Amino acid sequence: MASTACFVIISKNDIPIYEAEVGSAPKKEDLAYQHQFILHAALDVVQDLAWTTNAMFLKSVDRFNDLVVSVYVTAGHILSCCKHDVLFMLLHDSRSEDGIKSFFQEVHELYIKIFLNPLYLPGSRITSSHFDTKVRALARKYL
Amino acid sequence: MIGVGKAKQYANVLDKPLSRGRQEVSLSAFAFLFSELVQFNQTQVDNIAELERRLEDAGYAVGARVLELLCHREKGNRRETRLLGILSFIHSTVWKVLFGKVADSLEKGTEHEDEYMISEKELLVNRFISVPKDMGAFNCGAFVAGIVKGVLDNAGFPAVVTAHFVPIEGQQRPRTTILIKFAEEVLHREARLG
Protein backbone atom coordinates (compact mmCIF):
# COMPACT_ATOMS: atom_id res chain seq x y z
CA MET A 1 0.00 0.00 0.00
CA ALA A 2 1.42 3.32 -0.98
CA SER A 3 1.99 5.62 1.96
CA THR A 4 2.90 9.25 2.15
CA ALA A 5 5.29 10.42 4.82
CA CYS A 6 7.22 13.61 5.26
CA PHE A 7 9.92 13.76 7.94
CA VAL A 8 11.38 17.05 9.16
CA ILE A 9 13.87 17.95 11.89
CA ILE A 10 13.19 21.44 13.21
CA SER A 11 15.59 23.42 15.34
CA LYS A 12 15.52 26.81 17.03
CA ASN A 13 13.10 29.38 15.68
CA ASP A 14 11.32 26.83 13.53
CA ILE A 15 14.11 26.51 11.04
CA PRO A 16 14.16 23.06 9.47
CA ILE A 17 17.61 21.55 9.51
CA TYR A 18 16.70 18.38 7.68
CA GLU A 19 13.76 17.24 5.60
CA ALA A 20 12.95 14.14 3.64
CA GLU A 21 10.00 12.70 1.81
CA VAL A 22 10.12 9.10 2.88
CA GLY A 23 6.82 7.72 1.71
CA SER A 24 6.55 5.10 -0.97
CA ALA A 25 3.88 6.91 -2.96
CA PRO A 26 4.85 8.77 -6.13
CA LYS A 27 5.73 12.30 -5.21
CA LYS A 28 4.19 15.40 -6.72
CA GLU A 29 5.65 18.84 -6.49
CA ASP A 30 2.70 20.61 -4.90
CA LEU A 31 2.17 17.86 -2.37
CA ALA A 32 5.58 18.57 -0.86
CA TYR A 33 4.63 22.21 -0.16
CA GLN A 34 1.39 21.17 1.40
CA HIS A 35 3.20 18.79 3.71
CA GLN A 36 5.55 21.48 4.95
CA PHE A 37 2.65 23.82 5.52
CA ILE A 38 0.81 21.25 7.62
CA LEU A 39 3.90 20.57 9.68
CA HIS A 40 4.43 24.25 10.39
CA ALA A 41 0.84 24.66 11.45
CA ALA A 42 1.25 21.83 13.93
CA LEU A 43 4.19 23.56 15.61
CA ASP A 44 1.99 25.79 17.76
CA VAL A 45 0.20 22.84 19.23
CA VAL A 46 3.48 21.22 20.06
CA GLN A 47 4.66 24.16 22.16
CA ASP A 48 1.92 23.85 24.72
CA LEU A 49 2.04 20.11 24.75
CA ALA A 50 5.78 19.78 25.27
CA TRP A 51 5.76 21.34 28.73
CA THR A 52 3.07 19.13 30.15
CA THR A 53 4.91 15.86 29.93
CA ASN A 54 8.28 14.33 30.73
CA ALA A 55 8.24 11.94 27.81
CA MET A 56 9.86 12.65 24.48
CA PHE A 57 7.40 10.99 22.11
CA LEU A 58 4.28 13.13 21.85
CA LYS A 59 2.28 10.79 19.65
CA SER A 60 -0.07 12.45 17.22
CA VAL A 61 -0.64 16.12 17.88
CA ASP A 62 -2.63 17.19 14.86
CA ARG A 63 -4.71 15.88 11.98
CA PHE A 64 -5.31 17.11 8.47
CA ASN A 65 -7.80 15.19 6.35
CA ASP A 66 -6.39 11.72 6.60
CA LEU A 67 -2.85 12.70 7.45
CA VAL A 68 -1.54 12.64 11.00
CA VAL A 69 1.33 14.62 12.51
CA SER A 70 3.48 12.87 15.10
CA VAL A 71 6.12 14.68 17.07
CA TYR A 72 9.17 13.69 19.10
CA VAL A 73 10.94 16.27 21.27
CA THR A 74 14.60 15.95 22.15
CA ALA A 75 16.30 17.13 25.31
CA GLY A 76 16.63 20.76 24.35
CA HIS A 77 13.10 22.11 24.35
CA ILE A 78 10.89 25.11 24.14
CA LEU A 79 10.73 28.40 25.95
CA SER A 80 7.78 30.69 25.12
CA CYS A 81 8.97 33.27 22.60
CA CYS A 82 12.59 32.25 22.20
CA LYS A 83 12.57 28.69 20.96
CA HIS A 84 15.27 26.32 22.06
CA ASP A 85 13.83 23.11 20.85
CA VAL A 86 14.91 20.48 18.44
CA LEU A 87 12.00 18.35 17.36
CA PHE A 88 11.37 15.62 14.88
CA MET A 89 8.08 15.86 13.05
CA LEU A 90 6.54 13.22 10.90
CA LEU A 91 3.53 13.65 8.65
CA HIS A 92 2.07 10.31 7.71
CA ASP A 93 -1.04 8.32 7.07
CA SER A 94 -0.09 5.04 8.68
CA ARG A 95 -1.55 3.76 11.88
CA SER A 96 1.20 1.97 13.75
CA GLU A 97 2.32 4.05 16.72
CA ASP A 98 5.05 1.65 17.76
CA GLY A 99 6.73 1.68 14.40
CA ILE A 100 6.81 5.45 14.46
CA LYS A 101 8.17 5.55 18.00
CA SER A 102 11.00 3.18 17.10
CA PHE A 103 11.72 5.21 13.98
CA PHE A 104 12.00 8.39 16.05
CA GLN A 105 14.26 6.74 18.60
CA GLU A 106 16.65 5.46 15.98
CA VAL A 107 16.79 8.82 14.23
CA HIS A 108 17.37 10.44 17.61
CA GLU A 109 20.48 8.31 18.07
CA LEU A 110 21.74 9.34 14.65
CA TYR A 111 21.02 12.96 15.47
CA ILE A 112 22.97 12.76 18.74
CA LYS A 113 25.97 11.39 16.89
CA ILE A 114 25.86 14.32 14.48
CA PHE A 115 25.34 16.73 17.36
CA LEU A 116 28.34 15.41 19.29
CA ASN A 117 30.61 16.61 16.53
CA PRO A 118 32.36 19.66 18.05
CA LEU A 119 32.55 21.23 14.63
CA TYR A 120 28.82 20.98 14.07
CA LEU A 121 27.09 24.30 14.72
CA PRO A 122 23.82 23.54 16.52
CA GLY A 123 20.96 24.73 14.37
CA SER A 124 22.69 24.44 11.04
CA ARG A 125 21.50 22.20 8.23
CA ILE A 126 22.50 18.56 8.29
CA THR A 127 24.15 17.95 4.96
CA SER A 128 25.75 14.56 5.49
CA SER A 129 24.67 12.20 2.72
CA HIS A 130 25.38 9.25 5.00
CA PHE A 131 22.84 10.58 7.47
CA ASP A 132 20.35 10.94 4.64
CA THR A 133 20.89 7.37 3.48
CA LYS A 134 20.46 5.99 6.95
CA VAL A 135 17.28 7.96 7.63
CA ARG A 136 15.71 6.72 4.42
CA ALA A 137 16.71 3.15 5.25
CA LEU A 138 15.14 3.48 8.69
CA ALA A 139 12.00 4.94 7.16
CA ARG A 140 11.67 1.99 4.80
CA LYS A 141 12.15 -0.35 7.73
CA TYR A 142 9.70 1.20 10.19
CA LEU A 143 7.08 2.98 8.14
CA MET B 1 27.26 -4.44 10.52
CA ILE B 2 27.98 -6.17 13.83
CA GLY B 3 31.66 -6.93 14.31
CA VAL B 4 32.44 -10.50 15.24
CA GLY B 5 35.61 -11.28 17.11
CA LYS B 6 38.03 -8.41 16.96
CA ALA B 7 36.99 -4.78 17.00
CA LYS B 8 35.63 -3.49 13.73
CA GLN B 9 36.65 -0.24 12.14
CA TYR B 10 33.53 1.74 11.34
CA ALA B 11 33.42 3.49 8.01
CA ASN B 12 31.44 6.41 9.30
CA VAL B 13 30.93 7.90 12.72
CA LEU B 14 27.19 7.44 12.33
CA ASP B 15 27.64 3.71 12.38
CA LYS B 16 29.53 3.66 15.64
CA PRO B 17 27.47 2.61 18.64
CA LEU B 18 26.59 5.29 21.13
CA SER B 19 27.42 3.10 24.13
CA ARG B 20 29.37 4.07 27.21
CA GLY B 21 32.83 3.45 25.86
CA ARG B 22 35.78 4.10 28.17
CA GLN B 23 34.69 5.86 31.30
CA GLU B 24 37.98 7.39 32.25
CA VAL B 25 40.27 9.87 30.63
CA SER B 26 43.80 10.53 31.84
CA LEU B 27 43.76 13.39 34.35
CA SER B 28 47.14 14.69 33.28
CA ALA B 29 46.08 14.73 29.63
CA PHE B 30 43.02 16.74 30.54
CA ALA B 31 44.97 19.12 32.79
CA PHE B 32 47.49 19.69 30.02
CA LEU B 33 44.80 20.31 27.43
CA PHE B 34 42.92 22.66 29.72
CA SER B 35 46.00 24.67 30.60
CA GLU B 36 46.74 25.05 26.90
CA LEU B 37 43.17 26.21 26.35
CA VAL B 38 43.52 28.87 29.03
CA GLN B 39 46.91 30.01 27.80
CA PHE B 40 45.76 30.24 24.22
CA ASN B 41 42.79 32.36 25.19
CA GLN B 42 45.02 34.53 27.35
CA THR B 43 47.02 35.57 24.33
CA GLN B 44 43.89 36.53 22.45
CA VAL B 45 42.24 38.86 24.92
CA ASP B 46 43.07 42.09 26.75
CA ASN B 47 41.10 41.75 29.92
CA ILE B 48 39.86 39.23 32.42
CA ALA B 49 36.16 39.51 31.67
CA GLU B 50 36.78 38.58 28.06
CA LEU B 51 38.90 35.59 29.12
CA GLU B 52 36.15 34.34 31.41
CA ARG B 53 33.63 34.77 28.63
CA ARG B 54 35.71 32.72 26.21
CA LEU B 55 36.13 29.90 28.70
CA GLU B 56 32.40 30.04 29.29
CA ASP B 57 31.69 29.76 25.57
CA ALA B 58 33.95 26.75 25.33
CA GLY B 59 32.05 25.16 28.21
CA TYR B 60 28.70 26.04 26.66
CA ALA B 61 29.34 23.84 23.64
CA VAL B 62 30.26 20.97 25.94
CA GLY B 63 27.15 21.49 28.05
CA ALA B 64 24.79 21.36 25.08
CA ARG B 65 26.20 18.05 23.95
CA VAL B 66 26.40 16.57 27.42
CA LEU B 67 22.69 17.27 27.92
CA GLU B 68 21.62 15.40 24.79
CA LEU B 69 23.96 12.51 25.36
CA LEU B 70 23.11 11.99 29.03
CA CYS B 71 19.37 12.27 28.48
CA HIS B 72 19.71 9.51 25.96
CA ARG B 73 22.09 7.28 27.88
CA GLU B 74 21.16 7.69 31.50
CA LYS B 75 17.57 8.65 31.59
CA GLY B 76 16.16 6.52 28.82
CA ASN B 77 14.78 9.44 26.86
CA ARG B 78 12.90 11.28 29.52
CA ARG B 79 13.34 15.03 29.64
CA GLU B 80 13.30 17.40 32.57
CA THR B 81 10.54 19.96 32.65
CA ARG B 82 10.83 21.20 36.24
CA LEU B 83 13.46 23.44 37.78
CA LEU B 84 14.40 21.19 40.69
CA GLY B 85 14.52 18.26 38.29
CA ILE B 86 17.07 19.85 36.02
CA LEU B 87 19.13 21.13 38.96
CA SER B 88 19.40 17.73 40.58
CA PHE B 89 20.16 16.25 37.16
CA ILE B 90 23.14 18.60 36.89
CA HIS B 91 24.19 18.16 40.49
CA SER B 92 24.32 14.38 40.34
CA THR B 93 24.27 12.89 36.85
CA VAL B 94 26.24 15.50 34.93
CA TRP B 95 28.82 15.92 37.69
CA LYS B 96 29.23 12.18 38.03
CA VAL B 97 29.90 11.70 34.34
CA LEU B 98 32.21 14.67 34.00
CA PHE B 99 34.11 14.57 37.29
CA GLY B 100 33.55 11.08 38.65
CA LYS B 101 31.60 12.14 41.72
CA VAL B 102 28.45 14.09 42.56
CA ALA B 103 28.83 17.77 43.40
CA ASP B 104 29.40 18.60 47.06
CA SER B 105 26.24 20.56 47.59
CA LEU B 106 23.28 22.22 45.94
CA GLU B 107 21.77 25.18 47.78
CA LYS B 108 19.03 27.66 47.19
CA GLY B 109 19.99 31.30 47.57
CA THR B 110 18.55 33.07 50.59
CA GLU B 111 18.42 36.58 49.24
CA HIS B 112 16.79 36.03 45.85
CA GLU B 113 14.21 33.57 44.64
CA ASP B 114 15.97 32.85 41.40
CA GLU B 115 19.44 32.00 42.69
CA TYR B 116 20.91 28.56 43.28
CA MET B 117 24.44 27.48 44.11
CA ILE B 118 26.41 24.34 43.43
CA SER B 119 29.55 24.12 45.54
CA GLU B 120 32.63 22.04 45.20
CA LYS B 121 35.55 21.85 47.58
CA GLU B 122 38.11 21.46 44.85
CA LEU B 123 36.96 21.88 41.27
CA LEU B 124 38.80 19.52 38.97
CA VAL B 125 39.68 22.20 36.47
CA ASN B 126 41.15 24.43 39.17
CA ARG B 127 43.27 21.78 40.81
CA PHE B 128 46.44 22.45 38.92
CA ILE B 129 45.96 26.15 38.32
CA SER B 130 47.24 28.99 40.47
CA VAL B 131 45.95 32.45 39.72
CA PRO B 132 48.51 35.27 39.99
CA LYS B 133 47.52 38.18 42.21
CA ASP B 134 47.32 40.69 39.39
CA MET B 135 44.46 38.77 37.81
CA GLY B 136 42.26 39.52 40.73
CA ALA B 137 39.11 37.47 40.97
CA PHE B 138 39.58 35.41 37.85
CA ASN B 139 38.38 31.84 38.16
CA CYS B 140 39.00 29.07 35.64
CA GLY B 141 35.83 27.54 36.94
CA ALA B 142 34.24 29.75 34.28
CA PHE B 143 34.65 26.72 32.04
CA VAL B 144 32.47 24.62 34.34
CA ALA B 145 30.04 27.52 34.68
CA GLY B 146 29.81 27.45 30.89
CA ILE B 147 29.02 23.74 30.93
CA VAL B 148 26.19 24.29 33.41
CA LYS B 149 24.92 27.21 31.35
CA GLY B 150 24.95 25.05 28.20
CA VAL B 151 22.93 22.36 29.91
CA LEU B 152 20.38 24.81 31.34
CA ASP B 153 19.99 26.90 28.20
CA ASN B 154 19.40 23.94 25.95
CA ALA B 155 16.97 22.38 28.37
CA GLY B 156 14.87 25.52 28.24
CA PHE B 157 15.95 27.20 31.50
CA PRO B 158 17.99 30.24 30.48
CA ALA B 159 20.23 31.46 33.28
CA VAL B 160 23.31 33.51 34.06
CA VAL B 161 25.94 31.22 35.53
CA THR B 162 29.18 32.35 37.16
CA ALA B 163 31.95 30.77 39.21
CA HIS B 164 33.21 32.28 42.46
CA PHE B 165 35.79 31.54 45.09
CA VAL B 166 34.45 31.38 48.62
CA PRO B 167 37.15 31.40 51.31
CA ILE B 168 36.60 28.87 54.07
CA GLU B 169 38.01 29.12 57.55
CA GLY B 170 40.70 26.64 58.38
CA GLN B 171 41.35 25.69 54.75
CA GLN B 172 44.10 27.03 52.63
CA ARG B 173 42.34 26.84 49.30
CA PRO B 174 38.94 28.46 48.91
CA ARG B 175 35.86 26.56 47.96
CA THR B 176 34.43 27.11 44.48
CA THR B 177 30.78 27.97 44.05
CA ILE B 178 28.85 28.00 40.79
CA LEU B 179 26.14 30.61 41.06
CA ILE B 180 23.06 30.10 38.88
CA LYS B 181 20.64 32.94 38.37
CA PHE B 182 17.57 32.01 36.38
CA ALA B 183 15.82 34.31 33.94
CA GLU B 184 12.38 35.60 34.87
CA GLU B 185 10.49 33.54 32.33
CA VAL B 186 11.73 30.38 34.00
CA LEU B 187 10.20 31.40 37.32
CA HIS B 188 6.95 32.41 35.68
CA ARG B 189 6.69 29.10 33.94
CA GLU B 190 7.51 27.20 37.13
CA ALA B 191 4.75 29.08 38.93
CA ARG B 192 2.35 28.34 36.11
CA LEU B 193 3.12 24.66 36.11
CA GLY B 194 2.47 24.58 39.85
Side-chain angles (χ1 to χ4, degrees), chain A:
Chain A
M1 185 186 95
S3 70
T4 48
C6 176
F7 174 67
V8 178
I9 301 184
I10 311 226
S11 85
K12 294 188 198 197
N13 299 317
D14 301 339
I15 301 175
I17 57 179
Y18 176 77
E19 47 208 356
E21 290 272 344
V22 295
S24 47
K27 294 144 196 63
K28 290 192 298 204
E29 200 43 56
D30 45 353
L31 260 192
Y33 290 129
Q34 196 190 43
H35 290 167
Q36 293 182 3
F37 185 72
I38 300 171
L39 285 171
H40 267 84
L43 275 176
D44 293 329
V45 183
V46 176
Q47 278 188 54
D48 300 324
L49 217 55
W51 280 108
T52 59
T53 169
N54 248 6
M56 284 186 169
F57 180 52
L58 295 182
K59 302 219 175 66
S60 50
V61 301
D62 199 14
R63 295 187 62 89
F64 177 79
N65 293 347
D66 57 344
L67 299 172
V68 176
V69 180
S70 296
V71 168
Y72 181 95
V73 187
T74 62
H77 50 88
I78 311 165
L79 175 72
S80 55
C81 46
C82 169
K83 302 190 172 82
H84 281 259
D85 57 326
V86 173
L87 15 129
F88 304 153
M89 304 186 73
L90 182 66
L91 178 65
H92 60 98
D93 60 2
S94 61
R95 295 277 172 267
S96 73
E97 290 274 343
D98 280 337
I100 293 172
K101 184 169 177 176
S102 326
F103 172 69
F104 276 141
Q105 277 172 346
E106 300 258 341
V107 178
H108 188 202
E109 271 206 35
L110 285 178
Y111 172 73
I112 291 185
K113 288 175 201 170
I114 296 255
F115 193 64
L116 279 177
N117 180 358
L119 300 174
Y120 170 73
L121 184 66
S124 56
R125 290 195 69 88
I126 299 180
T127 49
S128 155
S129 60
H130 201 90
F131 181 76
D132 192 45
T133 322
K134 290 196 84 92
V135 168
R136 288 182 193 280
L138 282 175
R140 271 198 302 277
K141 183 172 159 202
Y142 286 111
L143 293 175

Side-chain angles (χ1 to χ4, degrees), chain B residues 117-145:
Chain B
M117 293 162 296
I118 296 183
S119 319
E120 186 81 20
K121 197 167 130 210
E122 178 87 60
L123 208 55
L124 191 80
V125 299
N126 280 345
R127 213 206 279 188
F128 302 115
I129 296 186
S130 65
V131 183
K133 289 246 180 344
D134 58 351
M135 295 193 77
F138 173 65
N139 191 337
C140 284
F143 182 67
V144 178

